Amino acid sequence: MNSRKKIPMRKCVATGEMRPKKELIRVVRSKEGEVSIDPTGKKSGRGAYLSKEKEAVLLAKKKGILSKHLEADVEESIYDELLDLIEKEKRPI
């Protein structure tokens, strides 16, 4: 019997695309209301997923999509961190 491992899919809040969880970045709001980036995808709290694309992050920033999904204020530094993360992953080693 051929057993394939199921790939967890998540939806990007900016683009609306369904993608494998590993292709997305999770941003999480803790119970205290603190918003942070969750590279492991395992922090507790309300999460929102963004594609690892500069355009998706800029769209989310422009329209305030993360603030709406997380029901919290998202600081500029979070968007800057997301863009830095994307740049680091795109660079060849």
Side-chain angles (χ1 to χ4, degrees), residues 19-83:
R19 293 185 160 199
K21 191 175 170 183
K22 290 185 179 191
E23 291 180 17
L24 301 166
I25 303 170
R26 185 170 186 250
V27 181
V28 67
R29 183 202 74 210
S30 66
K31 285 185 179 178
E32 293 79 36
E34 188 179 318
V35 177
S36 61
I37 297 170
D38 180 13
T40 62
K42 294 180 181 171
K43 283 186 183 176
S44 64
R46 182 172 182 88
Y49 290 88
L50 274 175
S51 297
K52 291 182 181 177
E53 295 170 359
K54 190 176 180 180
E55 295 79 24
V57 175
L58 295 175
L59 180 66
K61 182 178 180 179
K62 181 181 169 188
K63 293 190 173 184
I65 294 170
L66 281 179
S67 297
K68 289 175 195 166
H69 275 271
L70 299 175
E71 298 168 1
D73 291 329
V74 179
E75 295 178 21
E76 289 284 318
S77 60
I78 297 292
Y79 293 108
D80 295 338
E81 269 185 73
L82 286 165
L83 290 170

